Amino acid sequence: MTDIHPHGLNHGWRWLAQILNMEPLSDVTATLLFDFLEVCGNALMKQYQVQFWKMLILIKEDYFPRIEAITSSGQMGSFIRLKQFLEKCLQHKDIPVPKGFLTSSFWRS
């Protein structure tokens, strides 16, 4: 029997919802969202399916303008990275497995 991870996907889902309910901080929020979605997005996509895609559309349509409004032109790097990543994921209807992801077969070898 495999142990259930003490910080399962439900914690990630709750964290994402809490971030989106806060006012964004210049540079910080875009960086956090990008890193989180790059690492956990694939697993969240598989677990939450339609609800996850609704959340990404909410980020794109409602949260991006709020981040952009408080971000100065010299701090746009993290915002642009997040925006490009999210637009690509929405376009392809997929979030790639994170770089360096180890499959369960790795642990059995």
Side-chain angles (χ1 to χ4, degrees), residues 8-22 28-38 40-41 44 48 55 59 63:
L9 285 176
N10 59 319
H11 292 279
W13 182 260
R14 185 179 320 133
W15 180 87
L16 181 59
Q18 288 173 334
I19 286 290
L20 297 177
N21 281 319
M22 296 170 57
V28 174
T29 303
T31 300
L32 288 173
L33 284 173
F34 174 73
D35 289 344
F36 177 79
L37 291 172
E38 188 178 45
C40 302
L44 288 169
Y48 293 101
M55 184 84 82
I59 293 170
Y63 211 66

Side-chain angles (χ1 to χ4, degrees), residues 11-83:
H11 292 279
W13 182 260
R14 185 179 320 133
W15 180 87
L16 181 59
Q18 288 173 334
I19 286 290
L20 297 177
N21 281 319
M22 296 170 57
E23 283 303 312
L25 297 172
S26 179
D27 211 26
V28 174
T29 303
T31 300
L32 288 173
L33 284 173
F34 174 73
D35 289 344
F36 177 79
L37 291 172
E38 188 178 45
V39 173
C40 302
N42 182 270
L44 288 169
M45 174 188 73
K46 290 177 179 173
Q47 176 72 33
Y48 293 101
Q49 300 174 20
V50 172
Q51 295 305 317
F52 179 71
W53 291 110
K54 287 180 183 178
M55 184 84 82
L56 293 189
I57 290 169
L58 172 94
I59 293 170
K60 182 182 178 213
E61 293 178 355
D62 295 341
Y63 211 66
F64 275 177
R66 290 170 58 194
I67 296 173
E68 196 168 20
I70 60 145
T71 304
S72 68
S73 60
Q75 295 179 313
M76 291 299 277
S78 58
F79 172 74
I80 290 168
R81 270 191 303 280
L82 173 64
K83 187 173 183 178

